[in-house]
Amino acid sequence: MPKKISIITGPIVGLNSTKFIDQSIGFGQNVGEKIVSFNLFSEILEQCGAECRNAYEEAIQIGHLLNGYEYQFKCMRDKAYLALARKIDHLSKDTSVIIRTPASIEWRGYNLVLKDHRIIAETLRPDLVLTLINAEWKIKEHLGGNYGQHALRVIAQQKELSISKILEWLGSEVSVSEDWAEWARYLTGKKVKHLVFGMETPSLRNRKNYIPDV
């Protein structure tokens, strides 16, 4: 088993979390930390046989998953978590693991909470649940770009999200993630922490310039 398993939550769109996690892994390697990352939705799509050539196509496929039956989507997530647990079991003890998944999803004006606390606790036995956040205006700015608009349309099935809606989504991610950590503590007996982590911070030299806080 790896030395540490972290569940990384946060909105599925608007954060550019993939790039941030890659940068964090690179930083970890520079200080001698071996880290492997997985993505729950990538695992689901792989099991479904979906072939995605880029992030745009992957967003479309995720939108298809959300348009299906809720119980079927839950079964897909459970199966993906089990598959990830098997992959993680084969990793060396000096490796740490990151698993990226949202804890809730804005969809057609509603916030869908992913009730995955039990499967996460029983199969992955995480050490940490960490919620990635960013300033609401930074998220809105990111959603205004080409990919942001595309992802918002095909995943959340909305044209735009207001500042208040973004804040509600961030609040949901934090609340649900905190519940996941509490359930993991209860079911595993481990001291599972929940942290909320801002992805960007003002530069020391220019406070108007925000840089990734890997």
Side-chain angles (χ1 to χ4, degrees):
M1 287 290 293
K3 65 178 184 179
K4 189 168 187 176
I5 297 177
S6 300
I7 306 297
I8 309 298
T9 65
I12 193 172
V13 297
L15 286 181
N16 198 9
S17 61
T18 299
K19 180 180 178 181
F20 179 79
I21 289 173
D22 288 343
Q23 290 174 329
S24 299
I25 291 174
F27 176 80
Q29 290 174 341
N30 290 336
V31 297
E33 288 288 337
K34 185 178 180 182
I35 307 170
V36 175
S37 68
F38 298 97
N39 186 292
L40 177 69
F41 280 86
S42 296
E43 182 68 28
I44 293 174
L45 294 177
E46 181 180 325
Q47 291 184 5
C48 292
E51 297 183 1
C52 305
R53 294 172 296 181
N54 51 54
Y56 283 83
E57 292 186 357
E58 184 175 75
I60 292 172
Q61 293 295 334
I62 292 173
H64 292 332
L65 294 176
L66 294 172
N67 283 332
Y69 292 108
E70 186 174 352
Y71 75 89
Q72 186 179 30
F73 183 37
K74 178 65 169 69
C75 289
M76 289 179 177
R77 299 200 307 275
D78 288 353
K79 184 179 177 182
Y81 277 122
L82 287 167
L84 290 176
R86 287 192 292 269
K87 291 179 180 180
I88 291 170
D89 278 341
H90 291 90
L91 296 175
S92 60
K93 293 182 179 180
D94 64 342
T95 303
S96 291
V97 174
I98 288 173
I99 301 174
R100 171 70 172 109
T101 177
S104 65
I105 301 176
E106 279 295 321
W107 186 72
R108 296 184 179 181
Y110 297 94
N111 186 263
L112 303 178
V113 173
L114 304 188
K115 299 179 180 179
D116 296 343
H117 51 280
R118 184 171 293 276
I119 189 70
I120 289 173
E122 292 179 345
T123 63
L124 298 173
R125 298 178 60 84
D127 302 282
L128 172 70
V129 179
L130 187 148
T131 305
L132 294 177
I133 64 170
N134 206 348
E136 64 279 4
W137 63 270
K138 296 284 289 185
I139 293 176
K140 187 172 180 61
E141 185 178 83
H142 184 70
L143 291 174
N146 290 334
Y147 174 75
Q149 290 181 346
H150 168 76
L152 193 60
R153 184 175 66 254
V154 299
I155 295 177
Q157 297 199 11
Q158 298 180 70
K159 292 183 179 180
E160 64 177 350
L161 289 180
S162 65
I163 290 294
S164 61
K165 201 66 177 177
I166 291 171
L167 288 171
E168 288 178 12
W169 192 355
L170 289 173
S172 175
E173 286 289 325
V174 172
S175 178
V176 176
S177 300
E178 189 174 29
D179 289 343
W180 284 5
E182 183 65 32
W183 269 99
R185 284 193 292 271
Y186 174 74
L187 293 174
T188 67
K190 298 171 64 176
K191 295 181 180 179
V192 183
K193 292 183 178 181
H194 173 241
L195 301 177
V196 181
F197 191 81
M199 291 175 54
E200 293 181 295
T201 185
S203 170
L204 290 176
R205 296 183 178 180
N206 182 359
R207 306 302 286 178
K208 294 181 179 180
N209 182 30
Y210 285 75
I211 59 175
D213 190 12
V214 298

